[in-house]
Amino acid sequence: MILTRKEFLGLLNERIHYLDGAYGTEFFRSGFKGVIEILNIENKEMVYSLQKAYVEAGVDFLLTNTFSANRLKLETLKVNYDLRDINYNAVKIAKMAAANKNVYILGDISSTGHFIKPFGEISFNEAYDVFKEQSEILLNAGVDGFIIETISDLKELKAAILAIRDLDDDIPIIAHMTFNKNGVSVTGTSVEIFVTLLNDLDVDVIGTNCTLAPEELVPVFKKISEYSKKPVSVEPNAGKPRLQRDGSVIYKVSRERFAICMEDFIEMGSNIIGGCCGTSPDHIKFMIEFLGKVKSKKRNILLKEFVSSRTKIKSTEPFLIIGEKINASGKKNFQRKIREKNTEKIVELAITQEQEGAHVLDVNLGIEKLLESSHFTTVINELDKVSSLPLSLDIQQYEFMEEALKEYVGRPIINSSTCKTEQLDKAIYLLKRYGGILILLTMKDKIPKTAKERAEIAKNAIKYLEKNGINKERVFVDPLVLPIGAKKDPYVTIEAINILSRSGINTSIGLSNLSFGMPNREALNSAFLALCINEGLSAAILNTSERSTMNVIFGSLMLKGIEITEKKKFFENPIVNMILKKKETDLKREIEKLLEDYSPLQISQDILSKAMEYVGELYSKGEIHLPELILAAETVSPIFEFLNSLIEEKDNKQITTILLATVEGDVHDIGKKIVGTVLKSAGFNIIDLGKDVPANVILSAIKKYNPDILGLSAMMTTTIGKIKEVKDLLKNENIKIPIIAGGASMNGEIAKKFGVFYAKNASDALKLVKKLLKDIEKVIG
């Protein structure tokens, strides 16, 4: 059967639908320990039996056994079978299992296992190609829809969505991300940022899966339910893994407990529910029988609009302050730096404007005929790296705008479009494909002279946008501010704002145009802004360093009964602030000053490493996110190198060396890399052996480097036994070294049984390393 999007959504309107449960943990429970996708070639009966059990359990949607069956992941897992055979067979087996039943087949897509730039090595286009390649095979093999799941990087999710949608615009897509307990992904994206972007992107269902047990996932799903304007879905794990005496791993949430917990998701309006790691056909069968085939509950959906970057989200209400300073127009030196791809000035302006109170940053790279697409890619990625505010992309050439939107992570402002139909069509395409808010200029070829004409042209354009699926809440109309020095009447703009506001239309202005070429610009700008806000202005692109102008915003809104409370992130330790704000020059100057009173070793170990320890704690508490953590590490690394160069050889021997490795059979090393980043930035010497490292290679490395501590990571339930294998091998070799183990499958109980230490996250690892070093010192005396 072929399922169209309309039919799919019709099904969800009728009642709650059920997904299947876990594949990997079920195959492992049956004794299989390899890459489960190769079963589609080597043991089709095993896949068929599990899927048949899910069909008999009563599922509505059956996933293909293709979670890791993309080219990059299979290469990493060293699978030699043909990608096409693995995916094609998966669909064939699923169809056989679902034969003669009213069950639809969903092609299962997940991560490539690599971060996309700027935090990884692959490009957005490479990720897109990988997803498109796998999706095309699944589509041609006859899947009824797709589920993209267990994704932690919003940029990767966007690549997967675009790849599928470019193949077929009428196939259903369910899009999931996975989150920690605090509702933030490992890459720093919150549930709210994820959902508000996915509301724009061309998917049918928004949801979450994996990482958390049902009770832990409730607060995360509650936000999805609140923010999503589309149907919602959820697949929790069956708790945390627990090690058995025979070395196998089980998940502790029983089928009864799982079913009872899933009632919460029904109450929150879920349209589709299923299970992830640790759930079995028994869990799914009991859940379906317990919950029944009931209609989905109606949800109270938040109708506010937001703009966002990867890590920061801002409501468009009550007023958006858009910083104007990243604008190279008419600035030769700034333009030259951009052409040279020197982004220092841009990053500095981004940080400064945020401190001055901007909510959004307007980005205008100046004369675009001097630039290439790569300039826009570079700037977008650099601002992503520093965890910038949401961006307003002030880009004229269509191909550059699309390049920037493709790279951008979050929900941006597209600045701008005129009201000409040709330009509106391009804007509609971009808004639907990449998401965001549009600034609409009240003009076609010429600027209308009167306020009524400007308002009328904008209203007609908004009707056209709404007719094509873009609601007016996603549009900010710019009634155009013209220079007062050119004898232009500013009250035309003010009147246009009044007319548009009374029609419920958002408005935004480029404030500084007013005072171009005039003296006392700040006075003119602030007075004009007060008048505009009084008439209902919703946003302004302005100079955030003008204190009068900024004060006018808060004062004018207060007079209208709107109080703005801005919570600014500031840390008391000046060194921490310099590290987090990427103030390398200031930090170096501070360190040089400290060298007058302290030794390089004292500064390294007692000041800088403690500052980074605090940064690691901020990351663990969710107060900063991965981009900020990586930025902090990049900022302090050259300072540590500088200090190390000053440390005498006898003292250099005091620097602790930590050897890190992901154990054999496991190709997940994102978490280990984060731990390595935190430890390195705390001043330790890190040797990272990478992923899928056999025990004998770890042994050889210990003999070669003589590290003080060994850190091992195991993400998969099938590989945690390898930690014990390494521990036993070292014991047999009479090598005594503290071992710290971590990873999604590890926990304190398992670590204790293995005789190793357990660290839950990077901050835990750092604290544990310091404690172990103190213990070692005591033993040495």
Side-chain angles (χ1 to χ4, degrees), residues 500-554:
L500 291 164
S501 298
R502 283 192 281 113
S503 299
I505 295 170
N506 295 315
T507 50
S508 175
I509 58 171
L511 179 62
S512 296
N513 290 341
L514 176 83
S515 58
F516 183 75
M518 297 292 288
N520 296 320
R521 295 191 69 178
E522 185 168 345
L524 282 171
N525 290 343
S526 56
F528 181 70
L529 184 60
L531 295 172
C532 292
I533 291 175
N534 190 52
E535 297 302 323
L537 184 71
S538 323
I541 302 172
L542 51 78
N543 183 349
T544 51
S545 63
E546 292 182 352
R547 295 321 303 168
S548 298
T549 304
M550 294 296 283
N551 286 335
V552 154
I553 295 170
F554 297 102

Side-chain angles (χ1 to χ4, degrees), residues 18 33 91 186 198 204 286 292 327 416 477 511 584 597 599 647 669 697 727:
Y18 294 99
K33 302 295 182 189
V91 180
V186 70
L198 270 283
D204 302 283
F286 196 86
N327 188 332
S416 56
V477 172
L511 179 62
E584 290 176 29
D597 300 314
S599 72
I647 295 173
D669 70 347
V697 174
K727 166 77 177 173

Side-chain angles (χ1 to χ4, degrees), residues 604-639:
S604 176
Q605 293 190 349
D606 299 334
I607 298 175
L608 206 53
S609 67
K610 284 191 185 305
M612 279 309 297
E613 185 178 339
Y614 182 64
V615 170
E617 286 177 8
L618 293 174
Y619 173 73
S620 296
K621 291 176 185 171
E623 293 184 30
I624 63 169
H625 305 298
L626 185 61
E628 290 155 302
L629 181 70
I630 291 174
L631 183 72
E634 288 180 357
T635 304
V636 298
S637 286
I639 306 295

Side-chain angles (χ1 to χ4, degrees), residues 470-481:
I470 306 298
N471 64 51
K472 72 176 182 182
E473 287 75 23
R474 291 180 66 184
V475 180
F476 278 66
V477 172
D478 182 348
L480 298 171
V481 176

Side-chain angles (χ1 to χ4, degrees), residues 10 76 113 247 275 298 324 331 415 449 477 634 639 781:
T76 307
K298 192 175 179 183
E324 68 175 16
K331 300 169 188 167
N415 184 11
K449 289 183 180 176
V477 172
E634 288 180 357
I639 306 295

